[in-house]
Amino acid sequence: MNDPANSSPSPVLPAGEPVPYLDLAAQMRPLRAEVDAAIAAALDRCSFVLGPDVAAFEREFAAVCGAQHCVAFNSGTSALHVALRLLDIGPGDEVITTPYTFVATSWAIRYVGARPVYVDIDDQTFNLDPLKVGRAITPRTKAMLPVHLYGQPCALGPLLEICQHAGIPLVEDAAQAHGALYGGRPVGALGRLGAFSFYPGKNLGAYGEGGALTMNDDALAARARSLRDHGSTRRYYHDELGYNYRMEGLQGAILRVKLQRLAAWTAARRRVARRYQELLADTPLRLPQEAEGSQSVWHLFVVRHPDRDALKAHLEAAGIGCALHYPLPLHLQKCFADLGYREGDFPVAEQTARECLALPIYPELTDAQIERVVAVIKGFFQR
Ligand SMILES: *Cc1c(COP(=O)(O)O)cnc(C)c1O
């Protein structure tokens, strides 16, 4: 820890000083004047739903994702739901997906009446294991829905190859991975559709709910705009079953301000992750690693240890925020009991759920805060 190459001028955080798991106030402070002005301008325009700010945000976010189109939604969950509607997936169809993610990934599949078919995750990356996917494909498989979990791109190359062989589309759940790179290219437009969330705690967060779909297909984009707006392209004429999934004008205005910071925030998250990796290297924790050829945006920094519950209690007692993402894999959730999965079906996901612990990570986390988190963790192993 005293390696001069790693030394930082920051003072040591006083013992007992808490480190919050997430600190949205720290992010808001330097943005406040600009956000206030953007909100005031949006209020003056009275474009409360969709409107020019949302349209401008769609263009700017599409560019960041290297996508031809971005269609904004009122949440990531809505965007995922519409993605599966766009692919005409419905009852009797199967969608291959991961059991180790936030529940909304699977909601989309259930909302259209299809069946999630889970495949276990890779032990290194926390993402869908391409080596296990082949066995899960049946004549009823209509799509694959992998997640870029914690900001780390999934194995898109191998997964896209499998999809191509099977003749099915791949939808990226990129809700945690704004700006992540796979083979040097941003995620979101590498499969048929990409779904993003702008929930406040995500790497790019609205001040409320928000989401988006990205794609390189004009017809899919046009239909996505219709589906989010009551299935209509002309007011009071409705072509198909639609939804009220529109983004609010204020969220578009706020997201435009925040999008300008995304690259700097990602660089700061990557720096925090590197610092944790250096400082925690000599502990018994299993540390998250970046997969070869991809750049994670480090939405979360998730370590693993068999004595996770005791470590979590130790951190909390010292005022260090930490969290479980996710304590129970989806195949064991009560809401999906009808799918018939059992404990033992996906051993890697199950063990990860028992051992995972997410540490504080956000662009504003200081060196002193990182060092305090590390010192408390080292204290746990010196007991
Ligand atoms: C947050 C999240 C969603 C859902 O997004 P909301 O905007 O909260 O509806 C979907 N999938 C993953 C992996 C997420 O993390």
Side-chain angles (χ1 to χ4, degrees):
M1 247 179 107
N2 290 326
D3 176 358
N6 290 338
S7 72
S8 64
S10 58
V12 172
L13 208 63
E17 190 78 15
V19 179
Y21 177 64
L22 189 62
D23 190 353
L24 292 180
Q27 191 189 66
M28 164 95 74
R29 245 173 265 125
L31 289 178
R32 185 58 191 259
E34 215 178 319
V35 167
D36 281 348
I39 290 174
L43 291 180
D44 285 340
R45 275 196 288 279
C46 288
S47 293
F48 297 119
V49 177
L50 296 176
D53 282 317
V54 172
F57 172 70
E58 288 178 333
R59 285 192 296 275
E60 291 158 5
F61 192 66
V64 165
C65 299
Q68 279 165 25
H69 303 279
C70 167
V71 180
F73 283 82
N74 63 345
S75 76
T77 305
S78 306
L80 281 165
H81 180 191
V82 165
L84 297 192
R85 280 291 315 277
L86 289 171
L87 301 173
D88 297 314
I89 290 165
D93 295 339
E94 296 177 355
V95 178
I96 290 178
T97 190
T98 167
Y100 191 70
T101 175
F102 181 59
V103 67
T105 313
S106 275
W107 284 152
I109 301 167
R110 301 308 303 261
Y111 288 171
V112 298
R115 178 184 173 86
V117 172
Y118 296 120
V119 171
D120 209 354
I121 56 169
D122 175 82
D123 189 44
Q124 297 299 318
T125 63
F126 303 99
N127 283 323
L128 203 57
D129 187 343
L131 298 177
K132 296 176 187 148
V133 164
R135 275 171 264 156
I137 292 182
T138 76
R140 289 181 299 279
T141 309
K142 291 292 152 55
M144 192 184 293
L145 178 51
V147 179
H148 306 308
L149 201 72
Y150 307 151
Q152 161 116 290
C154 68
L156 275 174
L159 291 176
L160 281 166
E161 202 168 304
I162 293 165
C163 285
Q164 206 167 357
H165 275 283
I168 58 170
L170 185 149
V171 179
E172 301 171 62
D173 183 338
Q176 304 187 358
H178 319 70
L181 301 180
Y182 183 85
R185 295 164 68 201
V187 301
L190 301 178
R192 184 77 54 90
L193 292 154
F196 289 88
S197 166
F198 308 118
Y199 185 75
K202 299 290 162 84
N203 286 27
L204 179 63
Y207 291 153
E209 305 273 0
L213 281 179
T214 46
M215 68 287 275
N216 287 322
D217 181 309
D218 298 349
L220 286 180
R223 192 171 166 216
R225 291 180 196 286
S226 164
L227 284 170
R228 78 171 169 189
D229 193 13
H230 301 288
S232 71
T233 48
R234 191 153 59 111
R235 202 164 214 188
Y236 305 129
Y237 291 84
H238 306 279
D239 305 327
E240 60 177 324
L241 177 68
Y243 313 94
N244 177 358
Y245 281 173
R246 299 168 301 216
M247 178 177 275
E248 294 186 347
L250 285 179
Q251 301 308 334
I254 292 161
L255 283 165
R256 288 191 73 196
V257 172
K258 298 188 74 183
L259 182 59
Q260 294 170 37
R261 269 74 173 187
L262 181 62
W265 285 337
T266 296
R269 285 177 179 274
R270 291 177 56 76
R271 192 190 59 81
V272 173
R274 262 199 312 278
R275 196 84 184 113
Y276 272 139
Q277 279 165 334
E278 287 162 8
L279 297 177
L280 293 170
D282 61 348
T283 67
L285 293 179
R286 257 192 91 186
L287 302 180
Q289 302 296 341
E290 211 165 38
E292 186 128 330
S294 36
Q295 268 201 29
S296 175
V297 292
W298 295 103
H299 174 56
L300 300 178
F301 191 90
V302 176
V303 301
R304 282 173 281 182
H305 193 267
D307 210 4
R308 188 269 317 277
D309 291 338
L311 175 61
K312 179 169 184 281
H314 176 85
L315 284 167
E316 283 168 347
I320 309 296
C322 54
L324 305 185
H325 300 263
Y326 298 88
L328 188 65
L330 298 189
H331 67 287
L332 302 178
Q333 296 282 352
K334 190 171 161 190
C335 61
F336 298 138
D338 62 303
L339 295 174
Y341 288 104
R342 275 174 310 182
E343 184 133 26
D345 283 344
F346 305 109
V348 182
E350 291 168 23
Q351 185 176 350
T352 305
R354 282 192 296 271
E355 297 190 347
C356 67
L357 187 64
L359 303 181
I361 187 165
Y362 34 92
E364 299 79 15
L365 200 67
T366 66
D367 281 345
Q369 287 176 312
I370 296 168
E371 282 156 26
R372 168 126 179 88
V373 173
V374 169
V376 172
I377 288 172
K378 291 194 168 175
F380 175 75
F381 292 112
Q382 279 157 11
R383 291 168 314 163

